[in-house]
Amino acid sequence: ELEQACQIGAQILAQWPDNPVLCSIYSALLYDNDDMNQAFEYAKRAYTVSPAHAYQALHVLASERLLHQDLTGAMRFVELAQGQR
């Protein structure tokens, strides 16, 4: 099911490649599907286009910071995400 969701997400993003909400959700799907590099790329795109619409992407970006052992950077993204809810 997750793989199918990623395929559908890719098809939708092909029509609206700069939609920050779609990029954000797609980044979370990719992350859950263990496609980290793509997940981080789409999370960064969502955050660049509109941080206010990148809730899921902020969590993906926090995970990226943790992989680089950057706890301060990770917490910054978590706090930004919590501020959106």
Side-chain angles (χ1 to χ4, degrees):
E1 290 180 4
L2 186 57
E3 184 63 38
Q4 185 179 14
C6 288
Q7 291 172 358
I8 292 168
Q11 292 170 357
I12 294 170
L13 270 172
Q15 295 177 24
W16 297 285
D18 293 322
N19 182 300
V21 174
L22 294 176
C23 288
S24 182
I25 293 168
Y26 189 54
S27 73
L29 285 171
L30 290 169
Y31 186 84
D32 287 345
N33 201 38
D34 293 326
D35 189 349
M36 304 302 183
N37 290 332
Q38 286 282 85
F40 298 149
E41 179 182 321
Y42 279 96
K44 289 173 187 172
R45 182 186 303 179
Y47 184 71
T48 298
V49 172
S50 177
H53 295 96
Y55 179 77
Q56 292 86 352
L58 292 169
H59 291 284
V60 172
L61 293 170
S63 297
E64 180 187 34
R65 293 291 84 219
L66 287 175
L67 287 174
H68 293 283
Q69 310 217 354
D70 177 7
L71 184 57
T72 302
M75 287 304 300
R76 182 173 58 91
F77 285 121
V78 169
E79 288 168 359
L80 286 170
Q82 294 310 308
Q84 289 185 7
R85 289 292 168 162

